[in-house]
Amino acid sequence: LAHEHDAPPHRVTVRRTLAVITSRTMPAHTAPMALAFRARTPRPSPRTTPRATPRRLAPSRLGAAQGARETKSHGCVFMTHVSRTRAAISANDGADARRMATRAAADADGVMGAKFDDARGGAGASAGARGVGAERVLEMFTRVRPTIELGVLFASWYYFSIAFNVYQKAILKAVPMPLTVTFFELAVGSALAGACWLVGLKSKPVMKMNMLKPLAVLGGVHMLGNALTNVSLGKVAVSFTHTIKALEPVFSVGLSAAFTGVVPSLALVATLVPIIGGVAIASATEVSFNMPGFIAAMGSNLTFQSRNVLSKKMMGGSEIKKLDYTDLLSLITIMAMIASLPLALAFESSMMNMPTIMAGGMPLGVLGKNIFMASLCFQLYQAFSFLVLERVTPVTHSVGNSLKRVLVIACSVIIFRNPVSMTNIAGTALAIFGVFMYGAVKRSENSANDKAA
C-alpha cells in the first residue's frame, strides 16, 4: 500500500480489501507478515512429517477441539482465496480480483463465526461437566449427612457439659449455696422451655391429669440428683466428682436387679470390678477428698439411676410415652424447679443476704452472668444428650457418656490446675476403662438378645 499512487485503480481497491480482511482474522501488527509467510512457505510433505501421537481429550474439551478443527478448515479456504486474489492482481484482472476478494471476506466472517461457536460450545461442555460434578458432590453429602449431624450433636453435648462444669465450679467456690444455685438454674431452664412454647419454636405438649403423678416423681428425683451433684462440686474437685460418678453402672445393675428382677450376667458383673477398684484408688489418693462431697456424689449416682428405673416402671401405659425427649425434659425441669424452691428456703435461707453472697469475692453482675450461662449450658447439654439418644442405642449413649466424663475430668484438671498424683490418674483411668468394658459387654448382650428374638 506504500506505492498506491503508481498502481492501477483496481489494484488499489483490492489491496485495501485484503487489508480489511486480514485485520478481521489476525492482530494488526502480524497480519502482513502472516499473509506473506503463508503465501511463500511451501506445504510440508506428509512423508517427512512425523506422525503425532493421538491425545485423549476429556469430555469437557471435545467440543472445543472440534471447533478448533472447523476454524482451521475455514482458515485454509480463506488463504486459498487470498492467494487467488493476489494472482488476479498480478494478471491485472480487476473484476476477477474484486470477486475473489469478496469471497475471501465471506470466508473471514466464517472464521470469526467458527471461533465464536467454538467458544460457545466449549463453555457449554464445561458447564455440563460442572453440573455433573455438583450432582456427585450433593449425592456424597446426602450419604454422609447423618454421620456429620451425629458428630455435631456429640461435640455439642461434650462442649456444653464441660462449660457447665466449669461455670458451676466457679459459682460454688464463690457462693457455697448449692440448693439455691440449683433452683436458679432450673428456673432459667423452665423459662427457656416456656419461651420456646410461646414463640412457636416448639409445640405445646398436651397435658392430662394422669401425667401429673409420674412427672412430679421424676421431677423430684431429677431435682435431687442435680442438687447432690452441685453439693459434691462445691466440696471436692470436679475431676473427683466425675470419677465417683463413674460408678453409675454399678448402681444401674443393682437397682435393675432389685426393682425389675433382671439378673446380670457374670461377664457384666466382672466389668464392675475395675470400676469399683479404680474409684477406690482415686478416692484414697485424692487431695481434695472429704466425706460430704463423696457421699453427695454417691447420692447423685443413686438418684439418677433411680430416675431411669422409675421412668421405665411409671411411664408404662401412660400418656407420657407420646412426648418427645425435649418436651419430657422441659416438663421434668419445671417440676424440679417447683420442688427445689422449698428445699432451698429450708436449708439456705439464712445465707440469702448480700454480705454472704459478696464474701466470695465475685461481683454481683458477674455472679448473675455465670449463673445464667451455667443454666443455659446445663439445659443445652441435657437437650443434646437426649437428641443423641434419639439416634443411637442406649449402650452407645452410655459409652459416649463415659467419653464425655473423661473429657470433663481432663479439662477441669487443666483449667483449675488441680493437683493430681500418678496413682490418682491410674485409678481414674481404671474406672473409666471398666465403664467402657461394661458398655461393650452390654452391647454384645443386647445384640444376642435381638438375634434370639
Side-chain angles (χ1 to χ4, degrees):
L1 296 180
H3 305 284
E4 286 185 359
H5 59 279
D6 297 330
H10 67 276
R11 289 195 177 187
V12 174
T13 303
V14 172
R15 286 177 179 175
R16 290 179 177 176
T17 305
L18 287 176
V20 173
I21 294 170
T22 306
S23 65
R24 293 188 185 181
T25 55
M26 304 180 187
H29 65 281
T30 61
M33 291 186 292
L35 284 176
F37 178 79
R38 292 200 179 188
R40 297 171 184 173
T41 304
R43 186 173 181 179
S45 175
R47 297 181 181 178
T48 60
T49 303
R51 180 173 297 179
T53 303
R55 291 188 305 169
R56 292 177 175 266
L57 294 180
S60 61
R61 300 183 62 186
L62 287 178
Q66 184 177 0
R69 287 195 295 269
E70 293 177 357
T71 303
K72 183 176 180 180
S73 64
H74 280 287
C76 292
V77 174
F78 162 69
M79 292 307 301
T80 300
H81 292 314
V82 169
S83 300
R84 291 178 180 176
T85 303
R86 293 172 64 87
I89 293 173
S90 301
N92 293 327
D93 191 349
D96 188 28
R98 292 190 184 93
R99 183 171 64 254
M100 298 308 296
T102 303
R103 294 182 63 179
D107 283 325
D109 291 336
V111 172
M112 299 306 294
K115 290 181 179 179
F116 175 76
D117 293 339
D118 171 26
R120 183 172 57 184
S126 300
R130 287 194 298 270
V132 173
E135 290 179 359
R136 290 180 180 177
V137 171
L138 182 60
E139 181 182 358
M140 185 181 300
F141 177 75
T142 304
R143 286 200 304 266
V144 302
R145 180 177 178 180
T147 305
I148 295 175
E149 289 180 351
L150 186 60
V152 171
L153 292 177
F154 266 103
S156 302
W157 178 23
Y158 292 170
Y159 172 77
F160 287 113
S161 177
I162 294 171
F164 163 71
N165 282 276
V166 171
Y167 277 116
Q168 196 78 336
K169 182 62 178 178
I171 293 169
L172 293 173
K173 285 177 67 177
V175 183
M177 300 166 60
L179 299 179
T180 304
V181 171
T182 301
F183 166 74
F184 278 110
E185 290 173 350
L186 293 172
V188 172
S190 302
L192 291 174
C196 291
W197 291 335
L198 287 177
V199 301
L201 293 177
K202 190 73 175 158
S203 59
K204 297 179 182 179
V206 179
M207 290 291 296
K208 295 184 179 181
M209 291 302 297
N210 61 348
M211 297 170 62
L212 291 178
K213 180 180 177 181
L215 284 176
V217 174
L218 293 176
V221 177
H222 182 70
M223 179 275 302
L224 189 59
N226 284 289
L228 290 173
T229 300
N230 288 339
V231 170
S232 178
L233 288 174
K235 298 291 184 180
V236 297
V238 176
S239 57
F240 184 57
T241 298
H242 283 274
T243 301
I244 299 172
K245 287 175 74 65
L247 289 169
E248 284 181 352
V250 178
F251 287 92
S252 176
V253 171
L255 291 173
S256 297
F259 289 98
T260 63
V262 178
V263 180
S265 65
L266 185 60
L268 198 65
V269 174
T271 62
L272 303 180
V273 176
I275 298 177
I276 297 173
V279 171
I281 294 173
S283 301
T285 57
E286 174 62 36
V287 177
S288 64
F289 178 85
N290 64 66
M291 191 55 65
F294 178 80
I295 294 176
M298 296 289 284
S300 173
N301 285 335
L302 179 63
T303 53
F304 278 131
Q305 295 306 313
S306 299
R307 180 192 63 183
N308 295 339
V309 174
L310 288 173
S311 63
K312 295 178 182 178
K313 293 180 68 68
M314 301 185 67
M315 290 174 61
S318 69
E319 296 292 331
I320 299 180
K321 282 189 172 182
K322 298 180 180 179
L323 299 174
D324 60 13
Y325 285 104
T326 306
D327 287 336
L328 180 60
L329 176 63
S330 300
L331 293 173
I332 290 177
T333 301
I334 293 173
M335 293 294 182
M337 179 200 66
I338 296 173
S340 65
L341 180 59
L343 196 65
L345 292 175
F347 288 94
E348 296 178 351
S349 59
S350 60
M351 295 185 291
M352 294 181 183
N353 53 73
M354 192 59 64
T356 303
I357 295 175
M358 300 300 295
M362 184 177 290
L364 193 61
V366 176
L367 177 63
K369 185 201 76 172
N370 288 345
I371 290 178
F372 175 78
M373 292 301 299
S375 306
L376 181 63
C377 292
F378 174 75
Q379 298 303 320
L380 288 175
Y381 108 73
Q382 292 277 355
F384 280 113
S385 174
F386 278 117
L387 290 175
V388 169
L389 188 58
E390 285 181 344
R391 290 167 169 79
V392 300
T393 62
V395 177
T396 304
H397 185 271
S398 176
V399 173
N401 190 48
S402 302
L403 181 58
K404 179 208 73 175
R405 203 174 304 286
V406 172
L407 294 176
V408 170
I409 291 173
C411 292
S412 65
V413 171
I414 294 172
I415 293 174
F416 295 108
R417 303 179 183 275
N418 298 328
V420 292
S421 63
M422 291 303 298
T423 308
N424 187 272
I425 294 174
T428 302
L430 181 62
I432 298 300
F433 171 74
V435 173
F436 276 108
M437 293 301 297
Y438 171 83
V441 172
K442 195 74 173 176
R443 186 189 304 110
S444 62
E445 290 182 353
N446 290 343
S447 300
N449 294 335
D450 292 340
K451 291 179 180 179

